[in-house]
Amino acid sequence: MKILVAVKRVVDYNVKVRVKSDNSGVDIANVKMSMNPFDEIAVEEAVRLKEAGVATEVVVVTAGVTQCQETLRTALAIGADRAILVETDAELQPLAVAKILKALSDKEAAQIIILGKQAIDDDSNQTGQMLASLLDIPQATFASKVVVADGKVTVTREVDGGLETIALSLPAVITTDLRLNEPRYVTLPNIMKAKKKPMEIIKPEELGVDIAPRLKTLKVEEPPKRSAGVMVADVAALVEKLKNEAKVI
């Protein structure tokens, strides 16, 4: 069984992002970049399935600029077998990424495609669902437990009311939630081994995929700064301020 894992290069979650002076987007110049945390969980889960004897090969893929090779090398150091970079400088929106992943899934004949439930930069939470629709195969989003047996995958999902367990026939798309696993620490020997693992670099045109953006960002602004709190003498004063100043009641 082959598992295809999609990862994304994003601004590191520890970095405080800054908006560009022209409000056209987020400034990523000289900013630390890393693998999207949800995608790191996806890679870890795929590697664990391989270690358990469920999968025979883990292929990790990303789409973006040349520097995305660093993200793929991290995934290879975690335990993926080989990597594919769909190299482009174009802005990639969820639908374009889903189309790229569909083309690669068809090419690789993957039985399971695992993605993070969302990327921490755009928070779209759309790519996995779009991919399942394009492939016309079952999907399980927000996975907190994955069990593969007897040609099926059983996924425990995190939903608003608690947990939901569903069984899917293969092939299937799975998107990972935070509680699925804790990614392993990448050791130096594995980082060195990752440098020797194969990485294929292709262009979107080779896949026959249209990646033209469908959406246009008009303006990006930082959220307004919170004003300082005030102390009130009693409940009556609090109610008065909520009613007349904050106007929330």
Side-chain angles (χ1 to χ4, degrees), residues 171-226:
V173 173
I174 300 172
T175 70
T176 61
D177 216 323
L178 281 174
R179 280 156 288 279
L180 178 58
N181 61 53
E182 184 175 344
R184 69 195 65 188
Y185 176 76
V186 179
T187 62
L188 182 58
N190 286 336
I191 293 174
M192 300 305 293
K193 290 177 184 177
K195 293 181 179 180
K196 298 180 180 179
K197 291 183 178 180
M199 180 183 299
E200 181 183 2
I201 300 176
I202 57 178
K203 298 291 184 181
E205 301 79 45
E206 297 176 48
L207 298 173
V209 175
D210 175 20
I211 60 171
R214 264 62 176 179
L215 305 173
K216 182 180 179 181
T217 301
L218 301 179
K219 191 176 184 182
V220 177
E221 293 182 323
E222 289 191 16
K225 293 183 179 179
R226 294 179 62 181

Side-chain angles (χ1 to χ4, degrees), residues 106-245:
D106 290 339
K107 178 183 176 183
E108 295 290 337
Q111 288 295 96
I112 300 179
I113 304 101
I114 308 180
L115 311 84
K117 70 171 185 178
Q118 64 195 82
I120 61 172
D121 51 2
D122 57 20
D123 273 334
S124 292
N125 183 16
Q126 296 175 340
T127 305
Q129 294 88 327
M130 289 178 171
L131 174 60
S133 179
L134 291 172
L135 289 170
D136 194 22
I137 61 175
Q139 62 174 306
T141 54
F142 316 127
S144 61
K145 184 179 180 181
V146 175
V147 178
V148 181
D150 302 323
K152 291 187 176 182
V153 55
T154 303
V155 179
T156 301
R157 303 180 59 238
E158 298 198 3
V159 296
D160 291 341
L163 298 176
E164 176 187 53
T165 301
I166 58 175
L168 293 78
S169 58
L170 298 177
V173 173
I174 300 172
T175 70
T176 61
D177 216 323
L178 281 174
R179 280 156 288 279
L180 178 58
N181 61 53
E182 184 175 344
R184 69 195 65 188
Y185 176 76
V186 179
T187 62
L188 182 58
N190 286 336
I191 293 174
M192 300 305 293
K193 290 177 184 177
K195 293 181 179 180
K196 298 180 180 179
K197 291 183 178 180
M199 180 183 299
E200 181 183 2
I201 300 176
I202 57 178
K203 298 291 184 181
E205 301 79 45
E206 297 176 48
L207 298 173
V209 175
D210 175 20
I211 60 171
R214 264 62 176 179
L215 305 173
K216 182 180 179 181
T217 301
L218 301 179
K219 191 176 184 182
V220 177
E221 293 182 323
E222 289 191 16
K225 293 183 179 179
R226 294 179 62 181
S227 57
V230 296
M231 298 289 291
V232 294
D234 50 35
V235 174
L238 173 61
V239 172
E240 190 275 332
K241 286 186 176 293
L242 290 174
K243 186 175 182 180
N244 298 319
E245 293 185 18

Side-chain angles (χ1 to χ4, degrees), residues 19-26 217-222:
V19 175
K20 292 181 179 178
S21 57
D22 60 358
N23 295 107
S24 61
V26 173
T217 301
L218 301 179
K219 191 176 184 182
V220 177
E221 293 182 323
E222 289 191 16

